[in-house]
Amino acid sequence: MTRIFDDPATFKDDVIKGFAAAYSRYVDRVRGASGFVRCGGPRAGKVSLVVGGGSGHYPSYAGIVGAGLADACVLGDVFTSPSAEQVYRIGRAADGGAGVVLAFGNYAGDRLNFAAAQERLSTEGTHTRIVYVTDDIASAPVQERGKRRGIAGTVIVYKIGGAAADSGLDLDTVERVMRTANDATFSFGVAFGGCTFPGQRQPLFTVQEGQMEFGLGIHGEPGVRSAAWMPARKLAVELVEAVLAERPAGAHGRAAVVLNGLGATKYEELFLLYGHVHRLLAEAGVVAVLPEVGELVTSLDMAGCSLSVTWLDDELEEYWSAPVDTAAFRRGSTTMFPVFESVSRSDVAQAASAVAVEASPRSREAAAVVRRAVDAMTEVVVEAEELLGQIDAVAGDGDHGAGMTRGLRAARAAADVTNGGAGTVLRAAGDAFGDRAGGTSGILWGIFLGAMGVSLGDTDEVTAERLCQAVRHGAEMMQRIGKARPGDKTMLDALLPFVDDLDSRLAEGASLGSAWTEAARTAVAAAVATASLVPKVGRARPLAERSVGTPDAGATSMGIVLTAVGPVLSDTPCKR
């Protein structure tokens, strides 16, 4: 378990402070953002590589910022995507004028948040590209390569991309090189024990005594199949055969090889295992080029390891072999790279100043109701945090309850200090929710609340009909951006039935409070019914069968939250 912490809620921020104190020779902290840029700021005229994702994976991501690798990193909470706002701030701070590549593992929350940040950066004139890594062969069949997760192979792709950028290549070429590297990278892992969130006593999953799990994820997801313990020589066969089975046609025998420890498996064990791996690769005609053995992408205190292989051509080998100097990954002398002038940009990511908002008296009255509703939502989710985490841990990473709590607490704080009508308060709450919660749920809840705010505005009276329309608008925006459909086992499976039921009851003449309360019961029942569904999107998809029999965590929290709002609306007079 994770034993060293103060407040689990501030774990990521405390880690960032400590890392900044220890490695100021490598990084500068970006004010107002959860992350770093390379010491001295971005380099003028050089493409900047920004990597990121949830905390809990050190050395990814802070430990690989430096010459020959990443120019900046952005960190979300433990196993949670950083928010779009955080990605935007780091991306803006990292821009040296030649464009930015945003790189991350292929997870739904990261794709949503990084894409939103890319759109904002591009709108402001920063040329931005996205490269996400899909190396985990256990998470989807080869025919669905685009659905695969990014695990330890990410560090190889980042290393190659970082060297390409430091060599002075332009944005198009750096993107092409990184995509080529990703297409040539394959990883497979094994877990001997689960990992534990700071403040929690139970791991996200357990491995039975005498067993191991193949196909683990780096966010505490269990493996896709179990096997009895086996000696290292047989374990090496399992790992090597799985990776070599997907050797691309035409790949010659030279490859970048990484045997990665996940946090609790010691270096001596990894070296022992690599001896067998190296022999098996050589017997298969594979030359391991500058292999790396150690911890490069961890999962808190998870016991386990993974094998990554990237098939090299001459271009990829040049950048894989190039020097690198970061806090956690060092090789050769980086003086071979061209010299770019540093640009001090570490203070550009400040939050915008608050502006006065005009609102009608009736909309301000409605804003007070919004604040009470957010209070009620926060209280019930705090009570249900542990339950939601347990549900999420069955086939996910177990962070849903913590993320919802962070998001709603931030939303409540923002709503309390925001002066304006219902629309402005809802938008502020949505922005704060997305920024603090991170992950898929964070950005989708932020979109949902923000869209409701746009629909309600700050001048017109909030009637029952307009509120229903606003909820439907928020649900439609969530569905459009999240790209989930009914039956995919997501929060939409509770929200969409709620909206339809609310609309129907209001049309029949029910009061808003009564209609909302009854529709919330429909949402709760729909959430329970998701237990029979198989997830088709998100982090639970690779472990779809394990989730059958357990309701979706997002749908469950949606039902809980909607139920909490009912009494608030029942106590509030509202025109039809």
Side-chain angles (χ1 to χ4, degrees):
M1 62 185 296
T2 305
R3 295 177 172 83
I4 300 177
F5 58 89
D6 291 315
D7 181 353
T10 64
F11 183 78
K12 174 201 69 175
D13 297 327
D14 295 339
V15 169
I16 287 175
K17 291 177 185 177
F19 183 83
Y23 290 111
S24 60
R25 62 191 182 276
Y26 287 107
V27 299
D28 290 332
R29 189 171 178 184
V30 178
R31 287 185 289 167
S34 296
F36 304 95
V37 294
R38 192 186 298 189
C39 185
R43 275 55 178 170
K46 188 187 88 69
V47 172
S48 295
L49 173 60
V50 177
V51 300
S55 300
H57 302 306
Y58 188 83
S60 280
Y61 299 92
I64 58 173
V65 174
L69 224 158
D71 293 274
C73 72
V74 55
L75 297 163
D77 283 287
V78 176
F79 297 169
T80 303
S81 167
S83 71
E85 176 68 21
Q86 293 296 320
V87 178
Y88 161 76
R89 293 181 183 183
I90 295 293
R92 187 178 173 195
D95 181 26
V100 173
V101 176
L102 303 176
F104 51 91
N106 185 27
Y107 294 88
D110 293 292
R111 288 186 65 167
L112 286 170
N113 283 291
F114 278 82
Q118 178 194 32
E119 182 175 350
R120 186 173 173 188
L121 288 165
S122 298
T123 298
E124 295 182 0
T126 297
H127 297 295
T128 309
R129 307 293 169 77
I130 280 180
V131 176
Y132 53 85
V133 183
T134 56
D135 60 303
D136 179 17
I137 66 175
S139 56
V142 66
Q143 299 88 345
E144 299 179 326
R145 178 73 189 267
K147 294 183 178 180
R148 287 181 169 176
R149 304 176 294 202
I151 52 174
T154 55
V155 75
I156 304 178
V157 178
Y158 300 159
K159 168 66 183 70
I160 290 171
D166 266 352
S167 296
L169 302 185
D170 62 27
L171 185 61
D172 288 339
T173 307
V174 173
E175 179 189 18
R176 176 189 60 77
V177 167
M178 292 186 71
R179 290 188 183 278
T180 301
N182 177 61
D183 291 344
T185 302
F186 304 87
S187 300
F188 188 60
V190 61
F192 314 120
C195 56
T196 308
F197 268 33
Q200 299 296 316
R201 295 188 174 276
Q202 298 300 320
L204 293 178
F205 75 94
T206 57
V207 179
Q208 292 184 5
E209 187 72 25
Q211 296 283 306
M212 56 181 65
E213 295 214 3
F214 288 99
L216 63 114
I218 59 167
H219 297 95
E221 304 98 330
V224 297
R225 66 178 174 88
S226 299
W229 178 89
M230 60 188 70
R233 63 181 181 277
K234 291 186 177 180
L235 176 58
V237 171
E238 291 278 350
L239 297 176
V240 171
E241 287 186 349
V243 172
L244 292 187
E246 296 206 5
R247 180 173 180 167
H252 64 70
R254 298 179 70 80
V257 179
V258 169
L259 184 63
N260 176 67
L262 286 159
T265 302
K266 306 317 299 176
Y267 275 66
E268 285 83 355
E269 297 174 274
L270 295 173
F271 291 137
L272 187 158
L273 179 60
Y274 184 75
H276 296 297
V277 168
H278 191 86
R279 172 180 53 80
L280 292 168
L281 289 173
E283 290 174 357
V286 181
V287 176
V289 179
L290 296 175
E292 292 289 338
V293 179
E295 294 179 346
L296 291 170
V297 182
T298 62
S299 185
L300 289 176
D301 60 336
M302 183 185 288
C305 61
S306 62
L307 175 65
S308 298
V309 170
T310 299
W311 300 99
L312 300 173
D313 57 20
D314 291 343
E315 182 180 50
L316 296 184
E317 183 170 345
E318 175 186 353
Y319 298 129
W320 169 246
S321 303
V324 58
D325 186 20
T326 72
F329 193 174
R330 302 172 189 136
R331 175 193 294 166
S333 172
T334 57
T335 57
M336 65 162 283
F337 291 125
V339 177
F340 295 88
E341 182 181 352
S342 296
V343 181
S344 181
R345 293 284 303 278
S346 60
D347 60 346
V348 301
Q350 292 297 315
S353 299
V355 296
V357 177
E358 294 185 3
S360 69
R362 287 181 175 179
S363 188
R364 291 184 183 276
E365 291 175 1
V369 179
V370 170
R371 295 186 187 96
R372 293 200 298 274
V374 174
D375 285 344
M377 293 159 61
T378 305
E379 290 174 5
V380 295
V381 166
V382 169
E383 293 177 2
E385 178 179 341
E386 184 175 355
L387 171 64
L388 294 172
Q390 291 170 351
I391 293 173
D392 189 39
V394 172
D397 55 13
D399 72 337
H400 184 69
M404 287 292 295
T405 297
R406 288 194 307 269
L408 279 167
R409 282 175 169 164
R412 178 167 62 180
D416 286 345
V417 300
T418 299
N419 181 26
T424 293
V425 172
L426 272 168
R427 291 195 300 273
D431 288 346
F433 194 117
D435 187 27
R436 190 65 187 93
T440 308
S441 294
I443 191 170
L444 291 179
W445 266 97
I447 289 166
F448 177 53
L449 295 174
M452 285 183 62
V454 170
S455 181
L456 291 178
D458 292 304
T459 56
D460 295 334
E461 182 177 7
V462 179
T463 64
E465 181 180 0
R466 289 192 65 236
L467 179 58
C468 183
Q469 291 172 347
V471 175
R472 185 175 295 280
H473 178 58
E476 290 171 348
M477 287 291 291
M478 182 188 289
Q479 185 173 11
R480 180 175 69 82
I481 294 175
K483 294 181 171 58
R485 296 177 295 181
D488 282 351
K489 198 164 188 176
T490 70
M491 65 180 78
L492 285 172
D493 289 311
L495 178 58
L496 295 178
F498 167 83
V499 177
D500 290 340
D501 194 83
L502 177 63
D503 198 356
S504 176
R505 292 180 185 278
L506 289 174
E508 293 172 358
S511 67
L512 175 59
S514 173
W516 188 287
T517 298
E518 292 303 317
R521 291 194 176 99
T522 298
V524 170
V528 172
T530 62
S532 64
L533 298 177
V534 176
K536 297 183 176 64
V537 297
R539 214 170 265 175
R541 181 191 53 77
L543 299 172
E545 297 305 322
R546 291 197 180 201
S547 79
V548 175
T550 302
D552 178 66
T556 302
S557 64
M558 179 64 72
I560 290 171
V561 164
L562 293 172
T563 299
V565 175
V568 175
L569 297 180
S570 295
D571 292 339
T572 305
C574 183
K575 290 185 180 180
R576 296 198 45 79

